[in-house]
Amino acid sequence: MAKVVFVDDDFRRMLRSDMQHVQRLVDAGKFGKHKVPYKDKIINIEIVKKEGTIYVKKVRVM
C-alpha cells in the first residue's frame, strides 16, 4: 500500500465530495494530469508516483 501525500494546502479546503473524486482517481491508479471539481470551479491536478509514494499536487495551466 502506497503513502499518499497532498502537496498543496488547497486539498484541505476541498469539499468532501470533491475529495472523494480525487481519492477514486488515486485508488484506481490513474497517474498523470486530471481535471477535478473544486467548490464551484474545475482545477487541474497531477498524480505522480515516486518510490512508493503517491504525490497529488495542483497544476497551473499557462
Side-chain angles (χ1 to χ4, degrees), residues 8-25:
D8 201 5
D9 191 38
D10 289 331
F11 293 104
R12 291 184 182 169
R13 291 179 270 180
M14 281 183 112
L15 298 174
R16 179 172 285 167
S17 60
D18 298 341
M19 192 60 168
Q20 286 176 345
H21 186 78
V22 174
Q23 190 63 41
R24 276 186 262 140
L25 290 171

Side-chain angles (χ1 to χ4, degrees), residues 2 12 18 20 24 29-30 35-36 43 49:
R12 291 184 182 169
D18 298 341
Q20 286 176 345
R24 276 186 262 140
K30 305 263 182 172
K35 293 184 178 189
V36 295
I43 62 169
K49 185 173 185 179

Side-chain angles (χ1 to χ4, degrees), residues 9-58:
D9 191 38
D10 289 331
F11 293 104
R12 291 184 182 169
R13 291 179 270 180
M14 281 183 112
L15 298 174
R16 179 172 285 167
S17 60
D18 298 341
M19 192 60 168
Q20 286 176 345
H21 186 78
V22 174
Q23 190 63 41
R24 276 186 262 140
L25 290 171
V26 171
D27 291 343
K30 305 263 182 172
F31 302 113
K33 296 180 181 177
H34 302 282
K35 293 184 178 189
V36 295
Y38 180 75
K39 297 184 182 179
D40 60 341
K41 57 185 175 181
I42 302 286
I43 62 169
N44 294 318
I45 63 166
E46 184 176 16
I47 303 172
V48 180
K49 185 173 185 179
K50 292 182 184 176
E51 301 175 5
T53 304
I54 299 172
Y55 294 97
V56 181
K57 63 182 177 177
K58 185 176 172 183

